[in-house]
Amino acid sequence: MSQPGSRLVAARLLVVGQLSMVALYLAGVVVPYLLTFTLEGIGHCSTTGCQAPGDVFSGPMLALLVPAMIITILGPMAAVLLLLMSFTSLARRRREMSAVLRRSLFGAAGLTLAFLVFTLLPPGRLLLGWVLD
């Protein structure tokens, strides 16, 4: 039988994966979109349309563009899978987990659920359209 700590590595990785997905979405999509509209207003939208993310990102931020696009497109599906895995992990090994890990799983699941709901609402759809532009 394996050590209790080694069986909970998957739960820790789940927390890291959920938090990374939400952080990448915020850093790669939401913040650049808000900065573009805050600093430039709607004046950056010409008659041909608003600037695409490839025009907004420059320099080292361009490396964030591709993962952000992937998270924006595939994020809702991944969020559903991560939520199912998280709640399954909580249901199966809740008594073996430390209180900190249990709270971390609940917190990460809550953030992932908020991310999922946001991506399905009209503002999330607007960001998806902006990224796919």
Side-chain angles (χ1 to χ4, degrees), residues 26-113:
L26 287 173
V29 179
V30 175
V31 171
Y33 183 80
L34 291 175
L35 284 175
T36 301
F37 280 97
T38 301
L39 297 177
E40 298 180 24
I42 57 171
H44 77 281
C45 293
S46 62
T47 57
T48 59
C50 295
Q51 290 178 339
D55 299 333
V56 173
F57 286 95
S58 62
M61 289 288 290
L62 196 57
L64 201 57
L65 179 64
V66 174
M69 292 177 93
I70 292 171
I71 288 294
T72 304
I73 296 167
L74 300 176
M77 293 171 277
V80 170
L81 289 174
L82 287 171
L83 281 172
L84 288 173
M85 290 168 50
S86 181
F87 289 127
T88 303
S89 177
L90 278 167
R92 293 181 71 203
R93 296 206 166 92
R94 182 181 60 228
R95 297 184 196 282
E96 299 172 14
M97 291 180 187
S98 67
V100 173
L101 181 58
R102 195 170 36 250
R103 279 190 225 114
S104 299
L105 266 173
F106 277 122
L111 282 175
T112 304
L113 184 62

